[in-house]
Amino acid sequence: MYYQLISRLASLQYHLDGSIINFQIKDDSDVSLISFDETHSYYGYLRDGLIKRGIRSLINTLAWPNGISLEKAIVPNTWTAIEYTVKHSTSDVLAVLRKHAPNHNPFMVMEYYPDWIDYEGQRHQTVDSNIFAEGVDKILKYNGSINFYMVFGGTNFQFTNGSDRTLAYHPIITFYDYNAIITECGDAYPTKFKAVRDIIAKYLPLPTNPNTGEPLLLSWIQDRGVVLLDEMVQGVLEWTEKDPLTLINSNFLKTNPNSILDILMENKGRCCSVLPNLGCNFKGMKSKPRLGLRELGN
């Protein structure tokens, strides 16, 4: 399985016009029961396995910001990234990295946790949005790079949830949320996403007008239409006396290239009008809907 996976990824490397620039190999090098020699041997095995299978990209190991974990993770022909939480001091993290790793080793926080896993029977783990954003600010202030783990929440389905066992057994629930800045369904976490985005905007140019969606336009609808985007109800559009010709959905629709828009029509009574040219006897939609300026079809 390992060979099959790596062989598929090898062709996607950056020097082959792909998008992969780095591979990470990981061991729980902070676990005291795993010796220095065992960790180095395992890291070397993983590194050599990647190289034998055609990997020419950068390869990094991962360590917690303490001397033991770093010494175990510093392996020839790799570089070492750091993982930590908002409870750590970034200045202390950088100091211990510079003490143990070579000077050319980049300051990369490969796993920066917005919070932690949830254990069965305990409260949902959360971190204040501003505190988390301040942690991001400190990393960028030291010219560091950052990767959020997790950037969006998720679920461990079926029997794939795990557990921790240190002094006691702690099962982990299937909810894999981490109090991330994006929820599992793809929505921005109301305060945390904005707080982090505002910090990043201090260091990098960001779009001034992020995509807020497009209006759904129907030139004429004689009945009532329930609008669904990817099977989720977005709203209801219907003919009214005030606006019989143009209907615009006030809640702009946020789509992606693979989104599916459905309009479920409900039959309403035919119109008996003294004005002959209103076309009130026509049912459903008289023309194709538009999303912004784009005409939509089946």
Side-chain angles (χ1 to χ4, degrees), residues 5-226:
L5 173 63
I6 300 305
S7 62
R8 293 187 180 188
L9 297 177
S11 62
L12 302 177
Q13 295 177 88
Y14 186 76
H15 70 278
L16 298 175
D17 295 327
S19 57
I20 297 178
I21 62 174
N22 185 83
F23 286 80
Q24 176 171 290
I25 53 179
K26 182 179 179 181
D27 180 26
D28 288 323
S29 56
D30 59 308
V31 178
S32 57
L33 296 178
I34 303 176
S35 70
F36 180 91
D37 291 338
E38 288 173 325
T39 302
H40 268 221
S41 176
Y42 181 63
Y43 270 138
Y45 172 78
L46 293 177
R47 176 203 60 205
D48 295 344
L50 290 175
I51 295 173
K52 288 178 181 178
R53 291 166 175 81
I55 300 305
R56 299 294 178 266
S57 303
L58 295 171
I59 300 174
N60 79 277
T61 61
L62 188 67
W64 283 92
N66 62 71
I68 295 176
S69 184
L70 274 165
E71 288 296 330
K72 288 182 176 181
I74 296 173
V75 180
N77 298 320
T78 67
W79 63 279
T80 304
I82 295 292
E83 59 177 322
Y84 65 96
T85 73
V86 294
K87 297 178 181 179
H88 292 83
S89 164
T90 296
S91 59
D92 292 344
V93 169
L94 184 57
V96 73
L97 175 67
R98 292 289 174 252
K99 179 180 179 181
H100 294 274
N103 291 332
H104 62 269
N105 193 99
F107 178 36
M108 172 71 199
V109 186
M110 190 65 79
E111 296 184 10
Y112 190 61
Y113 300 98
D115 207 290
W116 198 239
I117 49 184
D118 288 337
Y119 296 106
E120 185 178 289
Q122 298 183 12
R123 295 176 63 88
H124 174 48
Q125 302 284 333
T126 61
V127 165
D128 179 80
S129 299
N130 291 326
I131 293 176
F132 182 70
E134 289 172 3
V136 175
D137 191 19
K138 291 176 182 177
I139 293 172
L140 298 179
K141 188 177 296 183
Y142 282 105
N143 200 29
S145 300
I146 187 170
N147 179 63
F148 298 111
Y149 186 94
M150 308 287 294
V151 71
F152 62 88
T155 299
N156 288 327
F157 293 100
Q158 297 179 343
F159 300 103
T160 57
N161 57 314
S163 65
D164 277 350
R165 184 177 181 181
T166 49
L167 298 178
Y169 170 68
H170 297 291
I172 300 169
I173 65 173
T174 56
F175 187 47
Y176 205 74
D177 179 76
Y178 274 82
N179 196 219
I181 61 177
I182 301 174
T183 67
E184 182 175 6
C185 63
D187 296 330
Y189 189 90
T191 55
K192 186 171 286 187
F193 183 90
K194 183 180 184 304
V196 171
R197 191 180 191 279
D198 289 345
I199 293 299
I200 294 176
K202 293 170 54 178
Y203 300 90
L204 294 172
L206 297 179
T208 55
N209 295 310
N211 179 26
T212 56
E214 299 175 282
L216 179 64
L217 175 66
L218 302 176
S219 60
W220 188 301
I221 181 171
Q222 182 60 39
D223 297 287
R224 177 186 289 119
V226 180

